[in-house]
Amino acid sequence: MPTDANDAFERRLPAALDDAAHTLPPLPPGLLERAARRGRQRRMWRAAQVGGGAVLTVAALGGALVGAGVLGGAGTPAAVPATIGPAAPASAPGSPVPSVSGNDVAATLRSLMPKSGTVSQVSGTRTPDALSAKLVHTGAGGASTALDIMISRQRAYGCLPIEVRPYDTCTTKRFPDGSVLYSTKSFTYPSSPGGQRRWYVEYATRDGGRLFLEEFGGGGEKESATGVDPGLSLERLGEIVRSPAWRTAVASLPAQAGAEPGPREEGMPSADRMTSVLTDLLPKGHVSDVNSSPGMVQLVHDDGAGKTMVEVDVQPNRSKVLAGHMNCGGDYLVCDSGVLKDGTKVKMTRSHSENGGKTAVWQVDTLRPDGLRVVVREINSYAEAGPVTRPAPELGMERLRVIALDERWRH
């Protein structure tokens, strides 16, 4: 399983929000981190689109569509070769770039729809770092499918961990030119294997472009509760994002400068160390679905009596952010807090899943005198949005406390 949690965005977002609001009471510990992870698939690719003074949010995961006769390059999706031609070079920062508008992208997306049926609600937007478009396609039989697309140069995320999207079915296909296509069958709501179906593809080009195209069965996102399949197959979506017609759109986006480590990545244990320390601290059992990044690790542990998801989050320099908030103020079923002899603050809580599921969340949150925060959580399922797999989480509060206070988290 890819360790796609190791990305700069979700490490920087919680820290940036925390550090920019030192004087404000923080949200419940770990909420921002968990929200960033669970919502990554939607949030990471919802770009704030500004047009006419209004902020428009366009759902997408990163991708590009540019149509025949609009952005250069011809052919229908079915005519796309297995390996596309030379990739469009990235435009260096400050250099002239091709002029491609959101309307251009929308027109191209429309041109790549099936010839049967009708297209409506077409719109497109451009920001400095992304192009996006959306429309609704109604097939000859009257079934509607909403499609959203986005073009960017951000890092591809690929197949998401089971801890994030427990009911997704994702495949990966690599092409001789170095590009990669990820195809996923999913649902609009991640906590249930039912309801409105959401299919999407993410295409990472060899020159750093990202094309993400998603569709929703039964109409627009959250407009339908039926489980009908979207109108276009995953294969057709893949053909669309791989169309050479999108080269100009990708080339119109400026190349991204090399990403610098975020403030929370500096001085944190590596992904490998996070995994190694946690597995050493667990009892005998089967470990699977490991998902790690600097300062963060999630995995599933099965002792033979049911699966439990275990997560550790290490955060340096949290003293100011959490000042006065390591007590039991908050909505918990059970909470106990105190201070150890060395000054380490410990808060132990039990609560229901934050996303409304039936799982139980047990957590130990520790803050040491030097500002090092270690949070350990366990859930009685293989994912917070997944089904309950045992009556209670496996490890128990005291074992979580031992794990959180282990000195090896200091890297």
Side-chain angles (χ1 to χ4, degrees):
M1 176 170 294
T3 57
D4 55 90
N6 185 13
D7 62 84
F9 179 88
E10 62 185 47
R11 304 307 307 168
R12 292 174 180 169
L13 174 62
L17 292 174
D18 282 347
D19 296 338
H22 281 255
T23 60
L24 299 177
L27 294 172
L31 176 60
L32 291 172
E33 290 83 356
R34 295 194 298 277
R37 286 192 302 276
R38 287 197 304 268
R40 147 180 48 192
Q41 186 162 350
R42 304 294 297 136
R43 186 190 321 188
M44 290 293 296
W45 307 110
R46 288 186 180 276
Q49 311 295 327
V50 180
V55 177
L56 305 179
T57 301
V58 178
L61 257 180
L65 285 171
V66 179
V70 178
L71 300 175
T76 63
V80 177
T83 303
I84 64 174
S91 300
S95 64
V97 296
S99 177
V100 177
S101 69
N103 288 338
D104 292 334
V105 174
T108 300
L109 178 57
R110 180 170 191 160
S111 74
L112 293 172
M113 291 297 100
K115 302 307 178 185
S116 60
T118 60
V119 173
S120 62
Q121 302 180 37
V122 183
S123 63
T125 309
R126 176 168 188 138
T127 65
D129 299 320
L131 288 155
S132 58
K134 58 183 178 179
L135 56 77
V136 174
H137 180 268
T138 302
S144 295
T145 297
L147 294 103
D148 297 338
I149 188 162
M150 182 173 165
I151 310 167
S152 71
R153 286 194 176 276
Q154 297 189 25
R155 174 180 174 272
Y157 287 86
C159 295
L160 299 179
I162 190 173
E163 296 93 342
V164 179
R165 303 287 301 196
Y167 302 110
D168 282 10
T169 301
C170 181
T171 61
T172 301
K173 185 174 183 178
R174 302 182 184 277
F175 299 94
D177 68 348
S179 60
V180 185
L181 177 68
Y182 304 97
S183 303
T184 303
K185 289 187 176 182
S186 185
F187 299 89
T188 298
Y189 295 98
S191 59
S192 172
Q196 186 182 36
R197 298 188 180 186
R198 170 178 174 254
W199 293 359
Y200 61 90
V201 294
E202 182 183 20
Y203 183 52
T205 69
R206 66 168 182 246
D207 65 319
R210 293 182 62 207
L211 297 85
F212 176 83
L213 175 62
E214 64 180 344
E215 60 175 339
F216 299 89
E221 180 184 9
K222 300 180 181 179
E223 291 181 3
S224 173
T226 65
V228 298
D229 288 347
L232 277 64
S233 67
L234 278 178
E235 291 74 16
R236 186 64 179 268
L237 294 182
E239 291 170 351
I240 291 174
V241 294
R242 296 191 65 240
S243 171
W246 300 110
R247 294 177 188 167
T248 305
V250 175
S252 74
L253 297 171
Q256 288 194 334
E260 296 297 330
R264 297 193 61 220
E265 293 180 9
E266 298 173 359
M268 291 195 301
S270 68
D272 289 343
R273 182 166 181 80
M274 292 294 298
T275 302
S276 175
V277 173
L278 179 55
T279 53
D280 284 348
L281 291 169
L282 293 176
K284 291 183 179 180
H286 178 67
V287 173
S288 64
D289 302 302
V290 177
N291 176 32
S292 62
S293 62
M296 175 76 70
V297 60
Q298 296 171 319
L299 55 77
V300 175
H301 188 265
D302 191 345
D303 62 353
K307 294 181 178 180
T308 294
M309 191 193 88
V310 185
E311 173 185 295
V312 179
D313 189 0
V314 176
Q315 308 169 12
N317 307 317
R318 297 290 95 183
S319 294
K320 291 183 179 180
V321 175
L322 295 177
H325 296 278
M326 286 294 291
N327 51 39
C328 282
D331 186 14
Y332 304 110
L333 296 177
V334 178
C335 180
D336 181 33
S337 64
V339 182
L340 304 182
K341 291 182 179 180
D342 65 356
T344 297
K345 298 177 181 178
V346 179
K347 181 163 71 172
M348 306 167 67
T349 62
R350 299 183 184 184
S351 60
H352 291 307
S353 168
E354 293 170 352
N355 63 12
K358 297 181 180 180
T359 55
V361 181
W362 293 6
Q363 175 173 294
V364 173
D365 193 351
T366 63
L367 180 64
R368 307 189 190 193
D370 62 357
L372 179 68
R373 182 191 191 193
V374 180
V375 185
V376 185
R377 305 169 69 234
E378 65 171 339
I379 299 166
N380 58 336
S381 176
Y382 56 82
E384 188 165 346
V388 171
T389 53
R390 53 189 300 139
E394 170 194 350
L395 302 178
M397 300 301 291
E398 286 304 319
R399 188 143 199 165
L400 293 183
R401 182 176 179 272
V402 170
I403 293 174
L405 293 174
D406 195 279
E407 285 299 311
R408 283 174 286 181
W409 300 120
R410 292 187 179 278
H411 70 274

